[in-house]
Every structure is written in C-alpha cells, then in structure tokens.
Amino acid sequence: MRARQLITGALALLAVVGVAGADAPAAGYLAGHEPDVLAVIPQPPTPGSPRDEADRAIFRQTRALEGTPRWALATSDVDVSKLLGDFSCAAGVTLTKDNSPRLTALLVKASPDIAAAFNVPKDYYKRLRPFTRDAGDICVPRTEGFAKSYDYPSGHATGSWTLGLILSRAAPDRTGPILERARAFGESRVVCGVHNASAVEAGRLAADTLVSALASDEAFRADLAAARAELTALRASGPKPDPGVCESEAALTARTPW
C-alpha cells in the first residue's frame, strides 16, 4: 500500500509540470536523507476529541458553500495540472511550464520529496476522509477508491504550500500574496469536503519541514537560485495575468471560509 501511494502521489505532483512516465525522476533532492515528517506533524485528532468534533463541524458548515464562487474556486483547485498557473496572480506574472523551465525542473526534481512528505504520514495514520463519516456533498466524484484513500495530511495542501514557499523565495517581494494563495489552495480541500481542516494544517507543517530540509541541499539551492533569476526576468517582461480575474480571486482567498 505504501509504495502504491508514493507512486500515485509523485505522479499527481508531476502532473503539475506536465511530466510523467519515463520522464519522471527516480529520486528527489533528499533521497536517503528525507526529514522525519512523522516526528514533526502532530498526531491526527482522536475520534471524539474536541479537535475531531471541530473538524466535523467545519465539514458540515462548509457544505453550505456548494454553488457559491468559493465552491467553484475549490473545484477548480482540484486539478493539480494547473497548479503552477494558479499562482500567476500571486506572483504577478503568468506562469507556465514553458516560460519557467528552470522552476519547472526544480519542481520535477522535488516531486518525489514532496510526495513522501505527505504519503508517509498518510499511510501511517490511515485517517479516513470527512465525507466517510458525515453526510454532505463533495466537489469531486465520490468513488470507492477515493473514499478508501487517506485524509491526514492533505497532499494538495502539502504540495501547494511547498510551491508557495519555493515561489516566495524566488520572488520575496510577493511573499504575502503567494502564501495567501497557497493557504487558500489548501483550504479549498476543506471547502470541497475531501479533507479535514486539521489535515490541511498538517500538510502545511509537512511542507515547512520539507522545505527546511531542502534548504540544506546544495543542488536545491543552486536550482532555486537559477529559478529566482528566471522568475525575475520573466516578471520584468512576461505576460501579466488578467487584472479582473486576479481581483475576483483575491476577494475569495482573503480569508478562511469558515
């Protein structure tokens, strides 16, 4: 089960940058010296505990968002194949895998590290997703396989927060909007009803742990410097995202929707 989940997580993250199959990296930056994420993130809430009941209450509360613009954004955020582009407004420039090849290469190289950061604790804790406990619509197909996959920590939250931290180092003057978008991307999983709020918080902590470890890797630092130079040049002359789209997005991501 663990090996299958790691492969699935890695492929999902590689979809962000349009890489799969033979092009997928065999190992990340940290192969053999990955951080012990289990030692850092807290255990998931015990069933019936106040935090567990709070998770359940948030799930029930956010079912009322179905049909709203925030639900539409959360549904859009399901598709990780456009995650890089989803940060265009926050970065102040339209981002694609084609116009940011060095950033793309960094994400491809880091994808196994990111997948391990959330799949190892997922497989260890085996916490069920919220819609398996309480009734309510979700924004993705309710398949048997998805229902049997695990909640804690959120892989989308781990991946988006990792990307946010990397982008904030490449464009430090845009740290605020970048991390706001990364936060909202994780919160979309709660709005969708596919993760508990505590699982999203754990995903951000897993990402913090991972990026701290990556920062000590010489190859990662060199690739990040190249990505920063690339992004600086792109921001000076690259295509700008639609201001109206960015304004609408900012109104939806400004605050937590519960």
Side-chain angles (χ1 to χ4, degrees):
M1 174 68 75
R2 175 177 171 182
R4 180 169 54 115
Q5 286 185 330
L6 286 171
I7 292 170
T8 300
L11 291 177
L13 285 159
L14 287 168
V16 173
V17 288
V19 176
D23 295 325
Y29 289 100
L30 302 177
H33 54 103
E34 297 89 349
D36 184 3
V37 175
L38 281 171
V40 179
I41 66 172
Q43 296 177 355
T46 303
S49 67
R51 186 58 200 276
D52 183 59
E53 291 302 316
D55 274 343
R56 299 183 70 179
I58 290 170
F59 172 81
R60 293 190 293 267
Q61 174 190 343
T62 50
R63 295 317 84 215
L65 292 171
E66 184 174 5
T68 67
R70 187 62 183 87
W71 181 276
L73 178 63
T75 303
S76 176
D77 284 349
V78 171
D79 183 5
V80 294
S81 68
K82 60 182 188 62
L83 178 59
L84 187 60
D86 285 338
F87 278 83
S88 294
C89 289
V93 66
T94 300
L95 295 172
T96 71
K97 65 184 181 67
D98 295 322
N99 69 12
S100 52
R102 291 188 178 276
L103 175 60
T104 297
L106 182 153
L107 295 173
V108 169
K109 178 67 173 178
S111 59
D113 301 316
I114 301 170
F118 64 80
N119 272 315
V120 170
K122 270 181 184 283
D123 188 48
Y124 183 81
Y125 288 120
K126 296 180 172 60
R127 191 189 192 197
L128 297 179
R129 294 182 184 270
F131 63 86
T132 66
R133 302 176 64 192
D134 291 293
D137 290 338
I138 62 176
C139 75
V140 297
R142 193 186 294 257
T143 65
E144 181 180 358
F146 185 62
K148 290 182 177 179
S149 63
Y150 301 132
D151 168 64
Y152 191 93
S154 163
H156 276 67
T158 304
S160 62
W161 194 252
T162 298
L163 176 54
L165 291 173
I166 289 170
L167 281 174
S168 70
R169 285 158 171 76
D173 61 306
R174 300 292 297 177
T175 293
I178 287 170
L179 293 185
E180 177 183 304
R181 186 63 179 97
R183 170 184 54 76
F185 196 93
E187 290 169 352
S188 285
R189 304 304 282 168
V190 180
V191 173
C192 273
V194 296
H195 277 296
N196 286 295
S198 61
V200 169
E201 293 173 8
R204 290 198 291 262
L205 188 52
D208 288 338
T209 304
L210 172 62
V211 174
S212 292
L214 286 171
S216 67
D217 183 85
E218 184 176 352
F220 174 81
R221 292 197 303 271
D223 288 347
L224 179 59
R228 180 171 182 170
E230 173 184 78
L231 185 56
T232 298
L234 182 63
R235 290 176 62 197
S237 60
K240 305 299 181 185
D242 184 283
V245 171
C246 293
E247 183 178 355
S248 297
E249 179 182 277
L252 295 174
T253 62
R255 61 183 62 191
T256 297
W258 61 83

